[in-house]
Amino acid sequence: MKRRQFAHVAAHIAALGAAGLVRPVFADDAGFDRQAEAFIEALWQLDPDAAIAAGRFEFAQRITLPSADQRARHRAFLKGWQARLGAVQEAGLSAGQQMDRAMLLAKIRGDLWRLDTLREWAWNPAEHNPAAPIDLALNTDWAPEQERVKALHERIRRLPAFYAAARASLSGVTREHTELALQQAPGVLAVLDDVESHAQELGLGSLMRPDLNAARQAVAGYQAHLKTLLPTARRPWRLGAALYEPKFAHDIQSAATGRQTYELALARREEVLASMHTQAAALWPGVIGPEAPPTDRFALIGRVIAKLSERHVKRERFVDEIRAQIPQLEAWVRDHDLLTQDAAKPLAVRETPAYQRGVAGASIDAPGPYRPQDRTFYNVTPLDDLSPEEAESTLREYNHWILQILNIHEAIPGHYTQLVYANRSPSKVKALFGSGSMVEGWAVYGERVMIESGYEASPEMTLMWGKWHLRSVTNTILDYSVHVLGMGEKDALDLLTRQAFQTEREAAEKWRRVQLTSVQLTSYFSGYSEIFALREQLKARPGFSLKAFHEKFLSYGSAPVRLIAAEMLKA
């Protein structure tokens, strides 16, 4: 994320750190909370795009150029604050402050590693996509519409420089990420069209049109440049063992390694499959009929799931059905006292913006902690552009039961609920710099909680939840197998379709996703495993309350599960 005022502090601390002059700092000496706030504000100054994502829209005029100079400034900033925060002694810090310090240092180490070792800014052209901050600043009600459009004028004026810096940064790109950037470019143009539409309504069209046209030309120039790179785009998209484990450590922040998590997923897979086999065998006579079931467990489970999957919403009702289910989930959580919800925090289901498409079919865009009152967007990619066969495949994947589980995961009590709680955290560090594994793990855990509470109780839902849970387990197996063990497309698709019962279209999209991302697919199972293990430990204690556990756990913002667990197990 990003901020303002303290750039001079960062430069000064960097110089002191380089000279070895940073002395140990104690909580009473400097005030850790003030230091954390100073870091955040300085970060926003360095990176206005992240400031906007956090809800600090006073940075809407400014843009971060993906240039070598900017990377040098970022590096100096991180090293300076690494020295400063590393000198703070934990003695004298509260438990919450110790957690914040650990999270800030982990963020700094991770950012430095991504900057200097992973270097995705050089080989992933899709990293350089300016659309999200523009869209967010334009369509969030943080100021009168005219003020919002005027603020974006200066940012749009700088887009030719942004794309020039992006082009200069690229070296040794992958074909897959280059194709993704080309796919998303029309979405950037759509955002610029949206700005122009607002400008025209306000009488600012003629003033902004030259800069909007220059920005469009810059997008076209970037597209043309990427097309010239495609014939020689030979960098492997696989991360490889040397990069995978450190990325896993930085991104997941688990107590386990990538390899250990992979092995845990293999064991969990067998547990889930054994349970699904029993459930499918019991359903077979009523679903399939008198035909003798096959002896192969994958064939048996797959046949039952395939037949049940014929029950799904109509294509044209896909997004509307998701929208209709949200109140039902809210009522269930409230009536079963699973946790307290905040009805004042709006959730809006919308079609995924074009510039975000190409990786996942559903996602959540939540407001930052500075503007928790703003809407959370539940993005759903509609099926309009699919052939009848592709649409049917998707609808079977997200059938009557699975669609409900998807909404539990993305919305209630999953991502939407967790991120509302995160924004309440008195610690901005815990809300801003959280662990993706905690966020995804909570959503997977939330699915289990709903099933345990009896939601849509039926043998069919139990089997379908098994399939969906197997999906998060398989994500980990797939990601590690592909990026570290070299699994090829044929084996990956077999793992996803025959062994995890996903439709061909869903499997093809997952194969594309694992080429475009790395480690993130492990966050679901990794986080879930740690959350569930923590619950089971605490459940053995007298007086355990499920609701109290949920609300206490969520009170830590989006901190890594291992840090939350260490704190909750102290009591």
Side-chain angles (χ1 to χ4, degrees):
M1 313 271 170
K2 317 164 188 180
R3 302 262 167 164
R4 198 176 57 147
Q5 299 168 351
F6 294 86
H8 63 287
V9 174
H12 178 61
I13 294 299
L16 292 177
L21 298 176
V22 177
R23 66 184 178 84
V25 178
F26 296 85
D28 295 342
D29 186 353
F32 177 80
D33 290 340
R34 291 194 300 275
Q35 290 195 64
E37 185 66 21
F39 170 83
I40 292 169
E41 291 296 328
L43 181 59
W44 295 165
Q45 177 72 16
L46 182 71
D47 190 351
D49 289 356
I52 291 172
R56 290 288 292 272
F57 289 99
E58 67 265 36
F59 293 92
Q61 295 183 45
R62 298 177 50 196
I63 190 169
T64 308
L65 300 184
S67 65
D69 286 346
Q70 172 67 12
R71 289 190 288 274
R73 286 192 294 271
H74 197 181
R75 185 179 298 108
F77 168 84
L78 293 169
K79 289 185 175 180
W81 278 97
Q82 185 177 41
R84 181 174 182 174
L85 293 169
V88 173
Q89 302 296 303
E90 286 196 353
L93 295 181
S94 69
Q97 288 173 328
Q98 289 178 22
M99 193 181 294
D100 284 356
R101 177 180 177 272
M103 290 178 66
L104 288 174
L105 286 171
K107 172 183 170 50
I108 289 170
R109 288 191 296 268
D111 285 356
L112 282 169
W113 182 82
R114 279 182 280 273
L115 189 65
D116 292 332
T117 303
L118 186 61
R119 293 168 54 88
E120 198 165 357
W121 48 266
W123 52 262
N124 180 1
E127 280 278 291
H128 309 303
N129 186 332
I134 298 173
D135 181 42
L136 193 58
L138 179 66
N139 293 303
T140 301
D141 190 18
W142 58 275
E145 184 180 11
Q146 187 167 35
E147 186 177 334
R148 302 199 307 264
V149 173
K150 285 182 176 179
L152 286 172
H153 190 179
E154 183 59 32
R155 176 176 279 265
I156 288 167
R157 199 194 312 271
R158 295 279 286 158
L159 284 183
F162 174 91
Y163 279 110
R167 289 173 60 169
S169 295
L170 295 178
S171 175
V173 299
T174 75
R175 167 175 286 275
E176 292 73 15
H177 293 91
T178 305
E179 290 173 342
L180 176 63
L182 286 166
Q183 177 188 346
Q184 292 180 338
V188 181
L189 295 173
V191 169
L192 295 177
D193 290 344
D194 193 18
V195 173
E196 183 163 23
S197 176
H198 282 74
Q200 287 175 338
E201 291 176 3
L202 296 167
L204 300 172
S206 59
L207 176 66
M208 294 186 63
R209 191 166 298 114
D211 292 311
L212 283 163
N213 287 337
R216 293 184 179 103
Q217 291 172 11
V219 175
Y222 191 58
Q223 289 177 283
H225 179 67
L226 295 183
K227 288 175 182 176
T228 68
L229 296 179
L230 278 174
T232 58
R234 297 193 180 93
R235 178 189 169 94
W237 52 263
R238 295 179 197 274
L239 202 61
L243 291 175
Y244 193 92
E245 283 293 355
K247 188 178 184 191
F248 183 92
H250 289 305
D251 289 3
I252 303 301
Q253 299 184 56
S254 169
T257 65
R259 179 71 190 192
Q260 289 168 340
T261 304
Y262 164 73
E263 291 172 350
L264 184 64
L266 289 175
R268 178 60 179 158
R269 175 178 183 265
E270 288 306 308
E271 294 173 359
V272 175
L273 284 171
S275 177
M276 291 178 71
H277 190 191
T278 300
Q279 295 157 14
L283 284 166
W284 179 277
V287 174
I288 304 298
E291 176 186 344
T295 56
D296 178 78
R297 68 175 177 179
F298 293 116
L300 191 157
I301 299 169
R303 281 280 304 280
V304 174
I305 286 177
K307 184 63 178 177
L308 290 174
S309 297
E310 293 175 5
R311 183 181 174 188
H312 58 70
V313 69
K314 293 182 178 179
R315 172 179 181 161
E316 60 273 17
R317 285 279 308 162
F318 185 68
V319 177
D320 288 340
E321 178 62 23
I322 289 175
R323 189 175 288 115
Q325 287 183 14
I326 301 304
Q328 300 169 18
L329 297 175
E330 290 174 333
W332 184 274
V333 170
R334 180 182 62 250
D335 295 345
H336 290 76
D337 208 24
L338 298 178
L339 49 76
T340 304
Q341 299 174 100
D342 188 346
K345 299 297 185 290
L347 173 64
V349 178
R350 68 171 181 180
E351 294 186 4
T352 305
Y355 67 84
Q356 290 185 348
R357 298 184 186 183
V359 179
S363 64
I364 286 285
D365 279 346
Y370 294 100
R371 292 190 59 85
Q373 74 277 15
D374 290 339
R375 287 180 297 176
T376 295
F377 289 109
Y378 180 0
N379 300 320
V380 181
T381 302
L383 311 183
D384 302 348
D385 296 333
L386 304 184
S387 69
E389 295 76 19
E390 290 173 331
E392 179 64 18
S393 181
T394 298
L395 291 167
R396 284 173 179 251
E397 181 66 28
Y398 295 95
N399 57 57
H400 169 77
W401 299 274
I402 295 290
L403 189 61
Q404 296 177 75
I405 301 172
L406 172 70
N407 293 332
I408 291 168
H409 180 101
E410 295 293 342
I412 298 167
H415 290 323
Y416 160 72
T417 301
Q418 185 267 318
L419 293 169
V420 168
Y421 269 84
N423 279 344
R424 292 183 195 162
S425 173
S427 162
K428 287 192 182 74
V429 172
K430 294 182 181 68
L432 290 166
F433 308 124
S435 159
S437 180
M438 183 277 186
V439 173
E440 293 295 355
W442 170 263
V444 176
Y445 169 77
E447 301 156 14
R448 178 170 190 144
V449 168
M450 292 290 277
I451 297 300
E452 288 176 337
S453 70
Y455 181 80
E456 186 78 5
S458 67
E460 292 84 359
M461 176 58 100
T462 302
L463 178 64
M464 287 297 182
W465 175 71
K467 173 192 167 175
W468 183 268
H469 184 68
L470 183 62
R471 176 171 169 162
S472 69
V473 174
T474 303
N475 281 347
T476 292
I477 297 169
L478 175 73
D479 197 71
Y480 191 88
S481 297
V482 166
H483 284 285
V484 178
L485 304 179
M487 176 181 277
E489 180 177 6
K490 181 180 178 181
D491 288 339
L493 293 178
D494 180 74
L495 173 68
L496 294 165
T497 54
R498 184 179 67 85
Q499 301 178 50
F501 318 109
Q502 297 176 23
T503 62
E504 290 184 4
R505 176 170 171 77
E506 182 68 22
E509 290 181 347
K510 189 61 62 69
W511 172 248
R512 173 175 166 80
R513 183 172 170 182
V514 80
Q515 294 175 77
L516 296 172
T517 67
S518 54
V519 173
Q520 192 275 336
L521 282 171
T522 70
S523 62
Y524 303 85
F525 176 68
S526 173
Y528 159 81
S529 299
E530 293 185 318
I531 295 170
F532 183 71
L534 172 63
R535 188 191 80 172
E536 294 305 288
Q537 283 182 273
L538 292 173
K539 200 173 178 181
R541 296 181 178 181
F544 174 82
S545 161
L546 187 63
K547 180 180 182 180
F549 166 73
H550 292 159
E551 295 185 350
K552 180 67 173 176
F553 181 84
L554 292 176
S555 73
Y556 291 97
S558 300
V561 181
R562 62 181 177 82
L563 297 182
I564 298 175
E567 192 59 30
M568 290 184 70
L569 289 170
K570 286 180 184 177

